């Protein structure tokens, strides 16, 4: 019988106190499992969490460890046809099913020391990284690198060829005690810690929600379908923020009070292929990964609000929409009966979550999807109570056929033949919108005014958002963060709904290249629409100047599609300007006017010392080529007498235009690159860790400004950046995670180090 090291258990309990909270069981085996899982989160899951986890070994839950690994790639830009789906928790429910899908074990239940994971850890112990100097040239940290995914019978050959490639890959190994803990756990079969039983209060709340979501009236059924299609990626939680219990919304063959019979479809609006099904809340036994974490509260107040939005209004619903292609293709037809204002209010109430779905969804490598947006821009929303015509239900009903979105029908390049029809329909909608807006403003005897931008009802800090693009990932936060950006959007209900169905509900990470290209091309239209809506608040002359500046060297059709010379685009605005920079004036006015727009949570000036503020202000003010050598996302630990603070330095790449999906580097303007500094840790994928003393910050800023080439950048990194093989790497990593949890609470998750740069 395997013997537990009790001394080791209690050593780790002292070192990792939060992990003990995973279980109230005092059994030594349970304590060991809890501590091992807590350690795995901070040492293994930081590279094995999202869909691009090496070898598809996802360690966010024990189910991923039991599933094992695969040599197949999820991200393959050359894929011509849609791939078979391998979503954890969805496309395989036990080891047998995963083995049939090509996954191989990384554990050996009969001889644990021969398991791949055990041998990977042992390889690292036998061949640790050098504690200083550059890493071996055998390491490749590119995301598109050729992956080595050895099976158990291939491991001897693998270890002989790549002796330094033990786990954690390209990072320091575990300490002696940590290694002992992990191997002891693997020898036990890597048992999963028992989840705490639901309290009576949570169980009652769960039952109430499942009853609510499975109402029998047509209104209730349509509401639940709408909720499911918008919340299927949400991290739903019951209970308070300090002790949440996590769930997700799924469709099930079985009704409440029975085990969930999961219905897994490629997209949430696909036909469940059964007449009777139920919406259920499935408890999720997983660790929170920052990249995919989108918390959404389910409580009585939320339920009452849904009731007032979707069930109390008086509207006709003679028949429920079916799952025919016409309905699947168009959410505006599918949910036509639901009041448009209710749908918009639903999306607005948690606007950060609504936008975050396409920023933080399952897409872990979004270069094609994300190079359609600028690196830093601000977002506002049309006021739902204004005369904005797109909230008019009749207008939406009339234009519904032109609002349909690209939908995968074959999963092959054949789908691209339908592209022109989507583009033409979208252009018809754009022209109809301009005509309708012109007529509506004429009838009202006014022009667009500042009151047409939603101010958050005076209490909702979702009214403004800032989006940062980090090459192939992005972040979205509440408020207008950083210096005034190059572009801004104003989002209306139809635009917000189409973004969701194009890039969230309708986007297939396993889809072929044609699907991803179609999505990218159509998102061009949506970006231009958001920019167009913003430009309408500026003087006509400024609109044209900014349009031409934003689309330098772009095809003429890109400028004319939305920014043509229609009557409404030439129409004046009722906003009164006092400066010769209307864009800046308007955006700064919005920052003062809209609730939460000042974003004090991210403003380093709120708490930093004079030395820190002056240094970071100088860093942000100095735009130029030197910034292009700074990594995209840098976690900075500023230490000093009585100070131990976390900041993030974000690089914003500049472009001539972003209206083309390819040859991005040819449109780069590195001389215009800028940096944004925020308080706290922002970004799921840090590219570098930096530790700097408060008194050395002025020199740090001077060093950044002095960078002229790659050699200078390497010298800068050697002075300030923490290399992958630094003996203190994990200590700083744990510190950043603790700071993240303390500051961001329920929004915090585990960072991903797949993009951490090598020196």
């Amino acid at each position: 019988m395997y013997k537990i090291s009790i001394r080791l258990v209690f050593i780790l309990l002292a070192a990792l106190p939060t992990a003990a909270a995973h279980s109230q069981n005092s059994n030594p085996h349970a304590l060991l499992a809890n501590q091992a899982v807590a350690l795995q989160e901070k040492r293994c899951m930081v590279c094995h969490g999202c869909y691009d986890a090496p070898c598809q070994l996802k360690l966010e839950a024990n189910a991923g460890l039991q599933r094992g690994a695969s040599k197949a790639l999820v991200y393959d830009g050359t894929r011509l046809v849609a791939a078979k789906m391998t979503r954890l928790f969805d496309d395989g429910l036990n080891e047998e099913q995963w083995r049939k899908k090509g996954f191989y074990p990384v554990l050996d239940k009969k001889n644990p020391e021969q398991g791949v994971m055990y041998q990977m850890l042992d390889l690292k112990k036998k061949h640790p990284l050098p504690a200083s100097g550059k890493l071996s040239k055998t390491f490749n940290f590119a995301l598109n690198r050729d992956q080595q995914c050895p099976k158990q019978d291939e491991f001897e050959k693998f270890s002989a060829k790549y002796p330094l490639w033990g786990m954690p890959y390209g990072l320091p190994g575990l300490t002696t005690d940590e290694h002992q803990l992990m191997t002891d756990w693997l020898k036990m079969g890597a048992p999963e810690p028992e989840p705490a039983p639901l309290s009576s209060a949570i169980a009652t709340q769960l039952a109430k929600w499942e009853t609510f979501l499975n109402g029998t009236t047509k209104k209730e059924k349509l509401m639940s379908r709408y909720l499911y299609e918008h919340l299927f990626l949400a991290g739903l939680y019951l209970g308070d923020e300090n002790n949440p219990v996590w769930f997700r919304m799924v469709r099930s063959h079985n009704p409440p009070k029975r085990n969930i019979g999961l219905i897994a479809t490629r997209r949430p609006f696909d036909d469940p292929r059964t007449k009777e099904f139920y919406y259920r809340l499935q408890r999720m036994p997983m660790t929170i990964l920052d990249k995919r974490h989108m918390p959404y509260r389910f409580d009585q107040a939320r339920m009452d609000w849904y009731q007032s939005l979707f069930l109390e209004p008086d509207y006709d619903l003679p028949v429920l929409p079916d799952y025919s292609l016409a309905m699947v293709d168009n959410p505006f037809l599918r949910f036509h009966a639901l009041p448009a204002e209710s749908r918009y209010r639903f999306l607005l109430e948690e606007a950060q979550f609504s936008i975050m779905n396409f920023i933080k969804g399952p897409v872990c490598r979004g270069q094609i999807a994300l190079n359609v947006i600028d690196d830093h821009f601000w977002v506002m929303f049309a006021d739902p109570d204004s005369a904005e015509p797109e909230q008019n239900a009749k207008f939406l009903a009339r234009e519904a056929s032109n609002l349909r979105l690209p939908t995968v029908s074959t999963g092959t390049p054949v789908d691209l033949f339908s592209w022109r029809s989507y583009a033409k329909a979208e252009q018809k909608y754009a022209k109809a919108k301009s005509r309708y807006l012109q007529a509506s403003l004429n009838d009202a005897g006014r022009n667009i005014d500042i009151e047409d931008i939603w101010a958050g009802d005076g209490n909702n800090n979702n009214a403004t958002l800032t989006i940062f693009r980090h090459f192939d990932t992005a972040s979205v936060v509440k408020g207008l963060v950083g210096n005034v950006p190059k572009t801004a959007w104003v989002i209306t209900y139809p635009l917000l709904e189409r973004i969701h169905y194009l890039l969230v509900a309708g986007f297939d990470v396993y889809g072929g290249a044609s699907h991803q290209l179609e999505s990218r091309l159509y998102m061009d239209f949506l970006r231009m629409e958001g920019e167009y809506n913003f430009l309408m608040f500026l003087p006509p002359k400024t609109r044209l100047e900014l349009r031409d500046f934003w689309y330098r060297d772009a095809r003429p059709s890109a400028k004319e599609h939305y920014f043509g010379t229609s009557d409404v685009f030439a129409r004046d605005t009722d906003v009164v300007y006092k400066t010769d920079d209307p864009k800046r004036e308007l955006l700064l006015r919005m920052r003062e006017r809209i609730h939460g727009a000042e974003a004090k949570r991210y403003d380093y000036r709120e708490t930093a010392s004079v030395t820190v503020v002056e240094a970071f202000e100088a860093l942000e003010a100095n735009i130029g080529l030197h910034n292009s050598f700074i990594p995209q996302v840098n976690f900075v630990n500023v230490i000093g007498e009585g100070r131990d603070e976390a900041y993030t330095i974000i690089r914003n790449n500049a472009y001539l235009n972003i209206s083309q999906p390819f040859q991005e580097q040819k449109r780069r303007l590195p001389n215009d690159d800028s940096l944004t500094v925020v308080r706290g840790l922002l970004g799921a994928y840090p590219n570098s860790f930096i530790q700097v003393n408060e008194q050395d910050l002025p020199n740090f800023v001077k060093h950044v400004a002095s960078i002229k080439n790659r050699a200078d950048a390497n010298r800068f990194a050697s002075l300030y950046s923490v290399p992958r093989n630094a003996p203190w790497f994990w200590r700083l990593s744990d510190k950043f995670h603790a700071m993240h949890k303390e500051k961001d609470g329920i929004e915090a998750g585990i960072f991903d180090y797949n993009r951490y740069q090598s020196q």
Side-chain angles (χ1 to χ4, degrees):
M1 182 69 181
Y2 166 67
K3 184 177 180 181
I4 301 289
S5 172
I6 300 294
R7 184 186 72 83
L8 179 61
V9 169
F10 285 100
I11 287 175
L12 269 296
L13 275 173
L16 296 166
T18 56
H22 290 190
S23 174
Q24 298 177 351
N25 194 334
S26 60
N27 181 291
H29 286 260
L31 290 173
L32 181 66
N34 278 302
Q35 291 301 308
V37 169
L39 182 61
Q40 180 185 247
E41 292 171 1
K42 300 293 181 66
R43 300 293 182 268
C44 306
M45 187 179 154
V46 290
C47 291
H48 289 272
C50 206
Y51 278 104
D52 61 350
C55 308
Q56 291 197 60
L57 179 59
K58 283 167 59 67
L59 299 176
E60 63 193 299
N62 190 268
L65 181 60
Q66 301 299 330
R67 177 180 76 166
S70 169
K71 294 178 182 289
L73 295 175
V74 173
Y75 291 93
D76 183 358
T78 64
R79 185 164 55 218
L80 295 181
V81 297
K84 292 182 179 180
M85 306 185 81
T86 55
R87 298 165 298 181
L88 191 63
F89 302 116
D90 288 323
D91 301 312
L93 303 180
N94 54 51
E95 288 186 52
E96 181 182 359
Q97 291 178 4
W98 287 120
R99 299 296 169 259
K100 290 180 179 179
K101 291 179 180 291
F103 282 76
Y104 58 88
V106 296
L107 304 175
D108 188 324
K109 296 179 181 179
K110 293 182 178 180
N111 190 354
E113 295 185 19
Q114 294 302 309
V116 172
M117 188 165 179
Y118 190 105
Q119 292 194 73
M120 279 289 191
L121 292 170
D122 194 54
L123 183 64
K124 190 55 165 273
K125 183 181 179 182
K126 292 176 180 176
H127 301 280
L129 295 181
S132 61
K134 291 190 175 183
L135 295 181
S136 165
K137 291 184 179 180
T138 63
F139 284 105
N140 183 357
F141 299 109
L143 288 176
N144 60 351
R145 66 182 182 269
D146 290 334
Q147 294 187 8
Q148 302 294 323
C149 302
K151 296 181 178 180
Q152 189 165 316
D153 60 0
E154 300 167 338
F155 197 85
E156 184 176 352
K157 183 178 179 181
F158 165 82
S159 60
K161 188 173 183 180
Y162 304 104
L164 293 175
W165 283 24
M167 288 179 62
Y169 173 79
L171 290 168
L174 307 182
T175 67
T176 300
D177 282 345
E178 289 172 343
H179 182 85
Q180 186 67 52
L181 174 68
M182 289 296 294
T183 53
D184 283 352
W185 178 61
L186 292 173
K187 289 176 182 177
M188 288 172 57
E192 180 178 12
E194 287 292 328
L198 295 180
S199 68
S200 59
I202 296 295
T204 299
Q205 200 177 359
L206 173 61
K208 191 171 183 179
W209 267 105
E210 291 197 329
T211 299
F212 178 76
L213 294 170
N214 290 287
T216 57
T217 69
K218 290 186 178 69
K219 274 188 176 182
E220 289 171 317
K221 289 184 176 183
L222 188 61
M223 173 197 70
S224 295
R225 182 172 176 180
Y226 186 79
L227 293 178
Y228 171 67
E229 292 185 15
H230 289 80
L231 298 178
F232 71 102
L233 288 179
L236 304 174
Y237 68 93
L238 303 181
D240 60 47
E241 291 190 2
N242 296 320
N243 192 27
V245 183
W246 298 99
F247 297 84
R248 67 169 179 164
M249 192 173 176
V250 299
R251 294 186 291 188
S252 167
H253 292 287
N254 300 332
K257 298 182 180 180
R258 291 177 54 187
N259 290 335
I260 291 175
L262 186 69
I263 298 174
T265 56
R266 187 170 283 265
R267 300 167 302 187
F269 49 78
D270 285 343
D271 190 348
R273 301 189 181 280
T274 178
K275 290 184 178 180
E276 294 293 330
F277 65 91
Y278 306 87
Y279 295 103
R280 303 288 304 277
L281 298 186
Q282 181 183 27
R283 190 174 182 184
M284 297 306 291
M286 57 191 292
T287 300
I288 302 301
L289 181 71
D290 201 84
K291 167 62 181 78
R292 298 186 58 191
H293 184 42
M294 294 178 285
Y296 190 97
R297 186 186 69 260
F298 259 17
D299 59 9
Q300 187 60 50
R302 183 81 71 187
M303 189 182 295
D304 294 342
W305 184 60
Y306 288 165
Q307 177 91 19
S308 67
L309 275 183
F310 300 116
L311 303 181
E312 291 178 4
D314 184 18
Y315 54 91
D316 293 329
L317 183 55
V319 62
L320 286 169
D322 57 26
Y323 285 90
S324 63
L325 181 59
M327 287 297 177
V328 167
D329 199 31
N330 195 324
F332 297 97
L333 287 177
R334 187 157 66 249
F335 299 109
H336 165 64
L338 288 178
E341 183 179 355
S342 295
R343 285 177 270 161
Y344 189 32
R345 280 287 183 182
F346 167 80
L347 297 171
L348 272 187
E349 180 73 10
E350 302 280 358
Q352 183 196 28
F353 170 81
S354 300
I355 295 294
M356 195 182 287
N357 270 264
F358 103 81
I359 296 294
K360 271 196 164 189
V363 183
C364 304
R365 300 185 192 177
Q367 183 186 357
I368 291 297
L370 290 173
N371 75 0
V372 73
I373 61 175
D374 281 291
D375 269 35
H376 176 216
F377 63 99
W378 289 351
V379 172
M380 296 164 288
F381 299 90
D383 190 284
D385 297 325
S386 75
E388 171 62 44
E390 290 175 294
Q391 270 53 271
N392 186 297
K394 292 182 180 179
F395 174 77
L396 280 179
R398 189 166 68 243
E399 291 301 317
S401 62
N402 290 326
L403 288 168
R404 70 187 193 277
L405 293 157
T407 301
V408 175
S409 56
T410 69
T412 71
V414 172
D415 292 333
L416 282 173
F417 288 111
S418 61
W419 167 248
R420 289 183 62 85
S421 67
Y422 291 117
K424 287 180 178 179
E426 206 281 336
Q427 191 167 36
K428 288 180 181 178
Y429 164 72
K431 291 179 178 178
K433 170 188 169 181
S434 295
R435 290 193 301 268
Y436 198 88
L437 180 57
Q438 177 81 333
S440 298
L441 292 172
N442 286 339
D443 290 343
R446 71 179 188 93
N447 297 309
I448 285 180
D449 202 351
I450 205 165
E451 300 299 325
D452 292 317
I453 294 178
W454 185 47
D457 302 321
N459 56 25
N460 191 329
N461 60 3
N462 283 273
T464 55
L465 302 173
T466 298
I467 296 177
F468 293 100
R469 178 196 167 201
H470 322 300
F471 183 60
D472 62 355
T473 68
S475 303
V476 53
V477 295
K478 296 175 183 176
L480 303 179
V481 179
N483 293 326
V484 173
K486 173 180 147 185
T487 63
W489 298 9
V490 173
I491 294 181
T492 59
Y493 164 64
L495 177 54
L496 191 53
E497 196 76 277
R498 282 180 291 157
I499 289 173
H500 175 79
Y501 277 96
L502 178 72
L503 296 178
V504 184
F507 191 83
D508 181 7
V509 71
Y510 296 89
S514 59
H515 163 63
Q516 298 185 38
L517 180 59
E518 267 194 323
S519 299
R520 166 57 172 88
L521 293 172
Y522 197 89
M523 186 58 197
D524 258 330
F525 299 147
L526 303 188
R527 183 199 66 248
M528 287 188 283
E529 185 174 345
E531 293 170 341
Y532 171 95
N533 293 339
F534 170 72
L535 289 176
M536 290 300 298
F537 289 86
L538 301 175
K541 182 174 180 293
T542 304
R543 292 172 198 160
L544 293 172
E545 290 172 350
L546 282 176
R547 178 203 70 176
D548 292 342
F549 179 69
W550 293 349
Y551 288 84
R552 286 167 288 175
D553 287 2
R555 300 182 308 274
S557 59
K559 297 180 182 180
E560 296 304 319
H561 181 87
Y562 253 102
F563 312 114
T565 56
S566 64
D567 290 341
V568 73
F569 196 67
R571 189 186 185 105
D572 206 353
T573 175
D574 283 345
V575 182
V576 177
Y577 291 97
K578 300 177 181 179
T579 70
D580 58 0
D581 190 349
K583 183 196 80 171
R584 179 179 178 82
E585 183 179 344
L586 175 64
L587 289 174
L588 292 180
R589 187 173 171 185
M590 292 298 98
R591 185 184 256 173
E592 294 178 356
R593 172 179 178 264
I594 300 177
H595 178 79
E598 290 182 324
K600 293 183 179 180
R601 170 181 175 180
Y602 299 101
D603 191 347
Y604 56 84
R605 300 169 187 85
E606 288 293 307
T607 57
S609 67
V610 173
T611 300
V612 173
V613 170
E614 290 179 349
F616 284 156
E617 285 183 339
L619 194 69
E620 289 186 303
N622 195 359
I623 296 172
L625 176 66
H626 55 279
N627 293 325
S628 69
F629 294 100
I630 301 300
Q632 300 258 202
V633 179
N634 308 270
F635 287 177
V636 182
N637 182 206
V638 175
I639 53 179
E641 189 171 344
R643 289 192 175 273
D644 191 358
E645 300 164 342
Y647 300 92
T648 307
I649 298 175
I650 301 168
R651 187 182 88 217
N652 307 309
N653 288 351
Y655 300 90
L656 283 166
N657 68 77
I658 51 170
S659 62
Q660 303 170 46
F662 305 113
Q663 297 184 320
E664 186 176 60
Q665 285 302 313
K666 289 187 176 181
R667 289 174 280 117
R668 281 279 284 117
L669 295 173
N671 288 320
D672 292 345
D673 284 1
S674 64
L675 300 177
T676 299
V677 183
V678 300
R679 180 160 60 108
L681 300 173
L682 194 159
Y685 293 93
N687 301 120
S688 78
F689 292 164
I690 292 172
Q691 277 190 306
V692 58
N693 190 282
E694 177 184 10
Q695 299 307 315
D696 197 35
L697 265 180
N699 288 329
F700 172 86
V701 173
K702 290 178 182 178
H703 273 107
V704 173
S706 69
I707 299 174
K708 295 182 175 61
N709 50 47
R710 177 50 56 190
D712 290 343
N714 290 339
R715 282 192 289 272
F716 171 83
S718 68
L719 287 172
Y720 296 104
S721 297
V722 177
R724 277 180 163 268
N725 56 337
W728 64 94
F729 180 91
W730 290 121
R731 187 165 66 248
L732 184 57
S733 171
D734 290 342
K735 183 178 184 179
F736 278 139
H737 276 113
M739 288 175 158
H740 187 33
K741 180 65 177 176
E742 181 180 2
K743 181 176 183 293
D744 299 312
I746 198 167
E747 297 177 15
I750 300 294
F751 298 121
D752 192 309
Y753 296 158
N754 273 297
R755 289 160 178 77
Y756 198 91
Q757 294 189 359
S758 175
Q759 294 183 17

